Amino acid sequence: MILNIEAKLSYQLEDLTDLLLQVEVARMSGQEVAQDALFTTNVNGFRRITGEAALGKRAWMQAGGQFDLTYQAEVSVTRPDPDLTRMDAAAPRSLTGEATSFLMPSRYCPSDEFQAFVAAEFGDLSGGRLLMAMRDWIEDAFTYVPGASGPGTTARDTFVQRQGVCRDYSHVLIAMARAAGIPARMASVYAPYVDPPDFHAVTEVWLEDAWHLVDATGMALPSQMAVIGVGRDAADVSFLTSFGRADFVYQQVSVAVADPS
């Protein structure tokens, strides 16, 4: 699948402000960036650094006043859609160092608080069957409501409220997976059928010695996702982090499937 991507952001900055940006598609297995370009208004000290888990790139810069950004990319996604229900989970003691770090509770995913629920609700399942049962439970139990959550909303808050947006769905699945002993992390992606169109948050889980993408909202398949970056939760994969006051002006994300003809 070939995706044509365009993201536009605009903020009003009160003073000269350091910004950390993460909107560029990662160069990684399963997706090939044919071309991409990043345009911004005048900034100081533009510098790229490696993303979390050494995947993708982030960019530091300093800007003031009106800050506008446009990112455009053409990406070929070759990633398959595996049947996770056929996959086994590794015993925690056998995990790699990378996977182990995504087994622990984090700021938005207090997985230790979900252990009793996961054991009671899904105790007879394991591995990929357990993971997909939890994913299906979240999609069925929750209502996708833009604006229902805020920057401080945790997986526990969403679990109680039974509503939220993609990052909230992902946080709950991450917390449940970790509670079951399955390493899980958040992935920020571009995907064509997200409604309303926006940056999209999904989950990656560690099964059979590899990471696999899962969307608890049901809006995107792995074969349709262009991954930007990964992290413990939303705090690690924000598309823009401002180290000073930044007033939102507008945001627009477009992801279109190219005509194969």
Side-chain angles (χ1 to χ4, degrees), residues 39-109:
F39 307 95
T40 71
T41 47
N42 290 335
V43 299
N44 303 319
F46 184 93
R47 180 173 62 92
R48 286 187 174 88
I49 62 171
T50 303
E52 291 289 328
L55 194 152
K57 295 290 184 182
R58 294 177 288 189
W60 277 113
M61 66 199 73
Q62 183 190 61
Q66 183 80 20
F67 173 74
D68 296 326
L69 172 150
T70 298
Y71 174 68
Q72 298 171 330
E74 179 183 318
V75 182
S76 176
V77 181
T78 58
R79 185 181 301 106
D81 295 317
D83 181 1
L84 299 190
T85 63
R86 296 179 177 271
M87 296 186 181
D88 295 324
R93 66 182 181 279
S94 68
L95 294 172
T96 65
E98 177 191 357
T100 298
S101 65
F102 293 104
L103 192 59
M104 310 303 177
S106 60
R107 175 180 174 182
Y108 291 110
C109 302

Side-chain angles (χ1 to χ4, degrees), residues 169-261:
Y169 280 58
S170 179
H171 281 158
V172 176
L173 183 55
I174 291 169
M176 287 186 176
R178 292 176 184 170
I182 300 173
R185 64 192 187 185
M186 178 173 283
S188 60
V189 307
Y190 293 108
Y193 306 120
V194 174
D195 185 23
D198 205 343
F199 296 100
H200 196 43
V202 299
T203 302
E204 271 197 320
V205 295
W206 183 263
L207 295 170
E208 297 193 350
D209 296 326
W211 290 106
H212 300 279
L213 293 160
V214 184
D215 184 3
T217 72
M219 289 193 283
L221 296 172
S223 61
Q224 301 165 342
M225 302 177 192
V227 176
I228 303 168
V230 299
R232 294 164 298 176
D233 51 35
D236 289 342
V237 291
S238 174
F239 56 86
L240 182 69
T241 303
S242 171
F243 293 83
R245 178 168 175 173
D247 294 323
F248 175 79
V249 179
Y250 71 84
Q251 175 178 308
Q252 180 180 323
V253 176
S254 171
V255 183
V257 178
D259 187 342
S261 62

